[in-house]
């Protein structure tokens, strides 16, 4: 079969393959262990490995590779199970391809042609093979095996499955890899040995493709500190992409709610499919490449040729169609692409059947002619429907009218080139909004100035005007290599704002949201939030040396943009470094344009950069470290610890070098960033380290390295900048100006593109995904360690036990989120809160976990007990319990003294835990209890109680846009510091109803214990003794009362037999002593404690050691099943 061309590494695979045939461009190879000459140790090893494999997953024994004489790179293009099959492919290549290759001049053209031809063959076979792969009957069989082997809840959705080998130690286990919405599962059963693996996606730290001497390629998964390798996959790349998508989906859903809420296509975990994930991945790549809004989805892809007028030839590429955009990207290495908003399309010409071509007319007398489009009729219909263009004959007349209107607008733009606001369809903004870039106000260009710098600036403008005349201007401009060359040389001051808007895609955002910014300004100004307080504090720290921000004009514009954005996106609000970036945007763009540029940077180009955890910046730092290892080996050899460069480079990424470079140099970096994205920043970072390589290698400590880099940045200048000295930023250390060699920013940028321009954006995005898992899990681990450090001071559990308890606590929260579209538990996780408050359980999650971990294995009526415990430890009464509160409760029950355990039980029967008369709840086990329908079964079983509702957070001052009440926090903190340890004398007395329920709770705890009978007698004896003591005490206080008192029934509301002492050997819970006096009575904790201390059976029961480690081990096994049963 033909394979999608993929680069392979022969250095790790030469021992596994034997060359059968070869020529100048192709190599046919046989895998050792197959066919003639299969002997030898290597052949035996390879043959043994492949023999144990399932027929659908074993590596094909024959393959064909493509290569050229002047390249070390090999591409796999075909594989075969039999020699006859591979020979057919070989003969086809000789007859149809070899003669054609002789006409090409360069090896790159040859490789490009071969790859294109193979892809075409695969596309021809695509329809039939697609049907075979999606066999519903086979999938159903696989799903039944998946259910049977792993016993996951029925809601768990299987996405896809593959046959593969799992390496357990040095031995491969052939089996099946199942990828579901929440879990990665593997099952193997060979020669009586069963291997079963279940890993949830949110537990994975590393997910990457690797290769070594034995395994040419495998997928490496790291979770819980263990490494897992999966190999022998027939479609390894496809498998890896699906795994990557599922891991990314899980991480976003559980750890990064802000990013997940934007992924509407994947919001329902029960609707995740393989095709849906593949479509989502393609849409994501499509949006990233063309800088389109998050709402756009890739709907259609058509291979075609596009006539490129400036080169006078047809370029091969793909047409990509979304809801509102028509895009084209070349595939022949010309790096040409174009983006056409549907609002710009005025007509689609009737398709030409002979050449399968269609012509799309856009505003500005531009036409795009696509040829050799296989489904050209469908494409033409799609474009017309999305543009609202009729296909009827009358359309031509209306098109002429539209063209006339557009031409009048074009003439207006040519006469008024600065009127960009009208060009993008904007209405007149509010007078409060600045309509000029600050640079034009504070540094207007002098047309008559003819100094060398201004002349060079005019030459740059002329070069760009020539480029516009050839490649177009505005939203329908062609992006080519020449565009990048002009960017690298530097953008003219007058065109900077326009080009930033175009390259970032912000021009489309502004065009489709007329009046949006003005409305935001009106709504946000005057609001008072934590974000606005931080903005006010940083306003005068934003480029303070620039005249524009020494005046109210610049400061007011900066305030409006930052406040409007904080109002638009309260999840981000305001983050330091946003003020510096926005200041530069305001210098070259109008105020509304600066706002949309900020939106493009924060929400598309630098995702997750500007929040409390700056995950995006940390991820890119990890990507930067990987690139240093790949491209600067000399530096790595001498500086094994690269964490220094991560910490130093944080400001580079957050501010796009604006905070370390003079402003006149930094704007050139911003030019490249808007064109090439984060790739430009990574390249420049490598160039900076390369330039200072020798000095960095010879430095003795980190401080010296930081000093070297700071001096270097001070030496960077922009010799072509036309800005006057009053605007330019002076170096910080200018005392050694005479001895310092200046570095021109244009030369530095050019060098970065020459040396590191081969870094592909696709590789950067792939590295981002890989490192994102590790960065988020590292942050989560830091949170865990901080929580454990705090909690360990309050409890007697060991750090290892706390670690395991934390994992169970966190997993319980996530398990309640796995199978629901909008789980209330997800609202409980907020990374912006203090460490202890980030993970909190509602009552439903708490009750399951408490059931698994509470020490009394035979305790009945656990649902009631867990409710009281939840109320007692929920100190702030917000309906949520954090890890510290949970551990303190368990610590009391497992490690507390007899007095502390009894005090805990005593408090369970006082408000706020116990709030009414005894419960009338049918005693039953927890699994059947949770089978009740409804959001919270406790609400239906216990209607008389004020229960906390999962998902309703009553007190959370950080949420929303309101100001945080710092005084309340300080007061709460002071109270916690001054809080004295509670003594037994501080406890209130327990009344009739509470004491009766306390006695019943003791009976429930003792139920099923081997010493149950003696424990029941002891409780009965204590209860009788306490009641007699209370009666004697009352008589002593009231000497005039008659000796014989009446004997009424127990208090109102008791639906049980009177508490009478019977002669039976084993009293029941309802038979606990003499008849109760009629008057109200109560007991102090001291009385109860003293009475129980006289019963050695009870003291022995509570002093008995219970191993929490075994409880936690059992909980890990039962947690998933029990949570599934409770759904």
């Amino acid at each position: 079969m033909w394979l999608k061309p993929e680069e392979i590494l022969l250095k790790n695979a030469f021992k596994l393959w034997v060359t059968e045939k070869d020529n100048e461009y192709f190599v046919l190879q046989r895998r050792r262990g197959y066919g003639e000459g299969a002997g030898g140790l290597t052949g035996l090893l390879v043959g043994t490995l492949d023999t144990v494999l399932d027929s659908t997953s074993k590596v094909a024994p024959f393959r064909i590779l493509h290569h050229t004489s002047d390249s070390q790179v090999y591409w796999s293009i075909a594989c075969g199970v039999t020699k006859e099959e591979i020979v057919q492919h070989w003969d086809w290549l000789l007859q149809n391809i070899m003669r054609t290759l002789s006409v090409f001049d360069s090896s790159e053209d040859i490789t490009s042609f071969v790859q294109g031809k193979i892809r075409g063959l695969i596309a021809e076979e695509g329809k039939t093979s697609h049907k075979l792969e999606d066999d519903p009957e086979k999938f159903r069989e696989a799903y039944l095996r998946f259910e049977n082997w792993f016993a996951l809840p029925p809601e768990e959705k299987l996405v896809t499955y593959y046959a593969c080998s799992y390496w357990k130690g040095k031995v491969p286990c052939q089996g099946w890899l199942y990828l579901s919405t929440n879990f990665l599962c593997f099952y193997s059963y060979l020669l009586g040995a069963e291997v079963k693996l279940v890993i949830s996606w949110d537990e994975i730290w590393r997910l990457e493709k690797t290769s070594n001497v034995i395994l040419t390629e495998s997928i490496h998964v790291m979770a819980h500190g263990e490494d897992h390798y999966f190999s022998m996959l027939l479609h390894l790349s496809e498998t890896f992409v699906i795994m990557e998508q599922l891991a990314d989906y899980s991480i976003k859903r559980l750890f990064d709610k802000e990013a997940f809420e934007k992924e509407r296509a994947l919001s329902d975990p029960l609707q995740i499919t393989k095709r849906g994930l593949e479509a989502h991945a393609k849409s994501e790549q499509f949006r990233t490449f063309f800088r389109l809004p998050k709402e756009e989805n890739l709907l259609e892809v058509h291979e075609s040729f596009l006539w490129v007028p400036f080169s006078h030839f047809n370029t091969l590429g793909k047409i990509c169609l979304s809801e509102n955009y028509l895009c084209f990207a070349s595939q022949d290495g010309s790096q040409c692409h174009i983006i056409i908003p549907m609002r710009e399309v005025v007509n689609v010409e009737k398709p030409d059947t002979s050449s399968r071509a269609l012509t799309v007319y856009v505003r500005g007398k531009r036409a795009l002619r696509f040829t050799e489009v296989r489904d050209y009729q469908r494409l033409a219909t799609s474009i017309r429907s999305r543009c609202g263009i009729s296909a009827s004959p009358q359309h031509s007349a209306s098109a002429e009218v539209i063209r006339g209107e557009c031409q009048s607008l074009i003439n207006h733009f040519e006469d008024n080139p600065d009127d960009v606001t009208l060009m993008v369809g904007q209405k007149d903004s509010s007078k409060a909004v600045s309509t000029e870039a600050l640079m034009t106000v504070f540094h207007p260009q002098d047309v008559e100035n003819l100094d060398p710098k201004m002349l060079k600036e005019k030459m740059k403008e002329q070069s760009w005007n020539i480029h516009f005349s050839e490649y177009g201007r505005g939203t329908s401009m062609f992006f080519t290599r020449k565009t990048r060359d002009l960017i690298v040389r530097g953008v003219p001051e007058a065109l900077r704002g326009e080009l930033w808007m175009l390259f970032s895609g912000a021009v489309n955002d502004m065009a489709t949201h007329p009046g949006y910014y003005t409305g935001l300004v009106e709504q946000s100004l005057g609001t008072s939030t934590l974000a606005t307080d931080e903005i006010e504090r940083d306003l005068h720290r934003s480029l303070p040396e620039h005249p524009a921000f020494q005046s109210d004009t610049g400061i007011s514009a900066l305030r409006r943009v930052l406040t409007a954005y904080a109002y638009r996106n309260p999840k981000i609000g305001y983050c330091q470094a946003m003020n510096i970036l926005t200041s530069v945007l305001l210098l070259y763009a109008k105020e509304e344009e600066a706002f949309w540029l900020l939106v493009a940077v924060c929400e598309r180009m630098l995702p997750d950069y500007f929040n409390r955890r700056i995950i995006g910046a940390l991820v890119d730092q990890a990507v930067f470290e990987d690139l240093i290892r790949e491209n600067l080996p000399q530096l790595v050899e001498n500086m094994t610890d690269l964490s220094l460069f991560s910490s130093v480079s944080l400001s580079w990424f957050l501010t796009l070098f604006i905070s370390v470079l003079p402003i006149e140099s930094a704007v050139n970096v911003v030019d490249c960033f808007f064109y090439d994205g984060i790739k430009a920043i990574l390249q420049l970072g490598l160039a900076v380290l390369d330039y200072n390589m020798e000095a960095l290698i010879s430095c003795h400590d980190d401080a010296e390295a930081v000093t070297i880099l700071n001096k270097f940045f001070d030496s960077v200048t922009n010799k072509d900048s036309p800005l006057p000295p009053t605007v330019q930023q002076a170096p910080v250390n200018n005392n050694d100006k005479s001895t310092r060699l200046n570095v021109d920013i244009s030369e530095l940028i050019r060098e970065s593109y020459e040396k590191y321009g081969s870094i592909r954006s696709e590789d950067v995005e792939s590295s981002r995904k890989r490192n994102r898992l590790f960065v988020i899990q590292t942050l989560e681990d830091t949170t865990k360690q901080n929580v454990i450090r705090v909690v360990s001071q309050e409890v007697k559990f060991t750090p290892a036990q706390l670690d395991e308890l934390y994992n169970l606590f966190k997993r319980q929260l996530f398990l309640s989120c796995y199978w629901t579209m909008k789980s209330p538990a997800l609202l409980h996780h907020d990374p912006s809160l203090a460490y202890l408050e980030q993970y909190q359980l509602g009552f439903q999650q708490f009750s399951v976990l408490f059931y698994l971990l509470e020490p009394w294995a035979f305790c009945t009526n656990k649902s009631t007990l867990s409710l009281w415990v939840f109320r007692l430890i929920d100190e702030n009464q917000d309906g949520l319990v954090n890890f510290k509160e949970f551990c303190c409760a368990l610590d009391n029950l497992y490690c507390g003294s007899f007095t502390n355990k009894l005090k805990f039980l005593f408090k369970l029967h006082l408000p706020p835990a116990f709030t009414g008369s005894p419960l009338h709840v049918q005693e039953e086990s927890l699994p059947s209890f949770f089978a009740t329908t409804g959001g919270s079964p406790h609400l239906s079983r216990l209607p008389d109680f004020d229960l906390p509702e999962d998902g309703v957070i009553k007190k959370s001052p950080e949420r929303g846009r309101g100001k945080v009440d710092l005084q309340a926090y300080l007061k709460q903190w002071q109270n916690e510091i001054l809080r004295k340890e509670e003594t037994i004398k501080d406890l209130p007395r327990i009344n009739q109803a509470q004491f009766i329920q306390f006695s019943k709770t003791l009976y429930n705890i003792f139920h099923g214990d081997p010493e149950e009978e003696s424990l029941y007698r002891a409780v009965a004896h204590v209860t009788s003794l306490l009641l007699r003591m209370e009666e004697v005490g009352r008589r002593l206080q009231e000497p005039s009362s008659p000796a014989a008192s009446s004997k009424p029934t127990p208090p109102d509301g008791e639906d049980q037999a009177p508490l009478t002492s019977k002669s039976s050997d084993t009293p029941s819970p309802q038979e606990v002593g003499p008849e109760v006096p009629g008057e109200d009575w109560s007991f102090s904790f001291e009385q109860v404690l003293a009475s129980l201390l006289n019963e050695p059976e009870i003291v022995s029961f509570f002093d008995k050691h219970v191993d929490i480690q075994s409880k936690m081990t059992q909980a890990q096994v039962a947690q998933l099943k029990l949570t599934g049963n409770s759904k």
Side-chain angles (χ1 to χ4, degrees), residues 161-371:
Y161 64 99
Y162 301 94
C164 73
S165 287
Y166 168 61
W167 289 80
K168 192 174 183 181
K170 296 183 179 180
V171 180
C173 304
Q174 176 59 30
W176 293 90
L177 177 68
Y178 293 88
L179 308 179
S180 66
T181 307
N182 299 294
F183 299 96
L184 178 156
C185 305
F186 176 83
Y187 184 85
S188 172
Y189 186 83
L190 191 64
L191 301 177
E194 184 182 56
V195 177
K196 189 182 294 186
L197 181 71
V198 178
I199 302 173
S200 59
W201 294 111
D202 55 85
E203 297 170 341
I204 293 178
W205 282 61
R206 289 279 189 195
L207 179 62
E208 55 193 352
K209 287 193 284 188
T210 60
S211 61
N212 53 45
V213 175
I214 297 178
L215 303 174
T216 48
E217 258 195 316
S218 62
I219 297 176
H220 170 220
V221 176
M222 188 177 85
H224 296 299
E226 297 181 0
D227 294 307
H228 308 274
Y229 292 90
F230 301 92
S231 65
M232 308 297 181
L233 287 146
L234 187 60
H235 303 290
L236 188 137
S237 294
E238 175 193 296
T239 309
F240 179 75
V241 169
I242 295 295
M243 293 172 71
E244 196 175 51
Q245 285 284 306
L246 286 168
D248 184 60
Y249 165 79
S250 181
I251 289 293
K252 282 182 178 177
R253 182 164 183 258
L254 299 174
F255 296 116
D256 190 8
K257 298 195 298 292
E258 290 85 353
F260 179 74
E261 286 169 359
K262 302 169 187 173
E263 306 284 357
R264 297 177 184 174
L266 300 179
S267 58
D268 188 354
L270 302 181
Q271 301 299 323
I272 300 297
T273 62
K274 178 183 173 183
R275 287 186 180 181
L277 288 170
E278 290 172 345
H280 180 263
K282 290 177 181 177
S283 293
E284 200 169 30
Q285 294 172 355
F286 166 68
R287 290 190 297 265
T288 302
F289 183 83
F290 291 108
R291 307 275 169 77
L292 299 180
K294 290 284 186 184
E295 297 76 22
E296 297 300 314
N297 294 293
L298 182 60
L299 303 178
E300 297 178 25
V301 178
H302 301 267
E303 194 168 87
S304 76
F305 288 89
L306 172 64
W307 173 252
V308 184
F310 50 84
S311 299
H312 304 290
F313 73 91
N314 284 311
T315 180
L316 175 64
K318 287 186 177 179
I319 303 170
C320 301
L321 195 67
S322 70
E323 290 87 348
N324 299 295
Y325 294 90
L326 170 67
C327 306
F328 176 87
S330 65
Q331 293 181 288
D332 58 1
S334 63
Q335 298 179 5
C336 167
H337 70 273
I338 186 170
I339 305 165
I340 306 293
M342 291 296 185
R343 64 179 185 275
E344 298 289 325
V345 176
V346 295
N347 189 19
V348 178
E349 192 177 78
K350 186 177 180 181
D352 180 3
T353 55
S354 60
S355 60
R356 295 186 296 183
L358 73 158
T359 305
V360 178
Y361 293 96
V362 298
R363 292 176 182 171
K365 293 185 177 180
R366 299 282 304 283
L368 302 174
R369 181 171 176 80
F370 301 98
T371 58

Side-chain angles (χ1 to χ4, degrees), residues 99 234 267 336 349 389 397 449 457 802 954 1091 1097:
R99 296 177 185 176
L234 187 60
S267 58
C336 167
E349 192 177 78
I389 300 172
N449 186 355
E457 186 75 2
L802 285 174
K954 300 174 183 177
S1091 302
E1097 294 88 354

Side-chain angles (χ1 to χ4, degrees), residues 797 805 850 853-854 886-895 1108:
F797 295 133
L805 278 173
F850 185 77
L853 293 175
E854 59 89 14
F886 180 75
C887 285
C888 288
L890 286 183
D891 184 63
N892 263 321
L893 299 178
Y894 277 96
C895 308
I1108 191 174

Side-chain angles (χ1 to χ4, degrees), residues 13 28 54 191 324 401 452 459 506 587 611 690 714 787 816 825 833 891 1037 1056 1072 1078:
L28 189 153
D54 180 88
L191 301 177
N324 299 295
V401 174
M459 291 173 63
L587 289 177
N611 53 35
D690 188 24
D714 288 339
V787 169
S816 64
L833 296 176
D891 184 63
Q1037 292 175 2
Q1056 61 184 33
V1072 290

Side-chain angles (χ1 to χ4, degrees), residues 83-100:
K83 189 169 184 178
E84 291 74 17
E85 180 187 359
I86 203 69
V87 167
Q88 285 182 2
H89 286 66
W90 179 265
D91 292 341
W92 189 91
L93 290 171
L94 295 180
Q95 296 170 12
N96 297 278
I97 299 292
M98 285 295 292
R99 296 177 185 176
T100 310

Side-chain angles (χ1 to χ4, degrees), residues 605-753:
M605 302 185 72
L606 296 179
D608 293 334
Y609 260 61
F610 301 99
N611 53 35
R612 291 181 182 274
R613 299 201 295 174
I614 56 172
I615 290 174
L618 296 176
V619 169
D620 284 342
Q621 282 181 300
V623 174
F624 187 51
E625 279 192 32
D626 291 345
L627 291 174
I628 291 174
R629 292 188 181 92
E630 292 174 14
N631 296 278
L632 301 174
Q634 186 180 353
L635 187 64
V636 176
E637 289 172 7
N638 291 273
M639 298 184 71
T640 53
D641 184 12
L642 300 180
S643 59
L644 163 68
F645 301 120
S646 292
S647 58
V648 169
S649 63
L650 181 60
S651 63
W652 304 356
F653 293 109
L654 281 173
T655 66
L656 309 180
F657 283 93
I658 296 170
S659 62
V660 294
L661 287 175
I663 185 64
E664 65 276 8
S665 301
V667 291
N668 285 38
V669 179
V670 179
D671 296 339
C672 299
F673 167 75
F674 278 123
Y675 189 83
D676 272 322
I678 194 62
K679 173 178 174 285
I681 305 300
L682 294 168
Q683 289 175 182
L684 186 60
L686 291 173
V688 168
L689 297 181
D690 188 24
Y691 193 94
N692 295 277
M693 177 86 71
E694 294 182 5
L696 290 172
I697 289 175
S698 61
C699 67
H700 299 90
D701 53 35
D702 291 354
E704 188 178 348
V706 172
T707 303
I708 289 169
L709 292 173
N710 287 339
K711 286 184 177 179
F712 171 77
F713 287 127
D714 288 339
S715 70
V716 176
T717 61
N718 188 349
K719 63 182 181 181
D720 297 331
S721 175
L723 299 179
T726 56
V727 174
Q728 292 191 22
Q729 183 177 343
V732 177
N733 304 316
N734 56 0
N735 50 1
D736 57 345
K737 187 175 180 179
S738 58
T739 61
R740 189 178 65 242
L741 295 175
N742 289 334
V743 180
D744 183 61
I745 187 63
S746 297
E747 290 299 316
L748 186 63
I749 290 174
R750 183 183 57 77
E751 187 175 332
S752 74
Y753 272 91

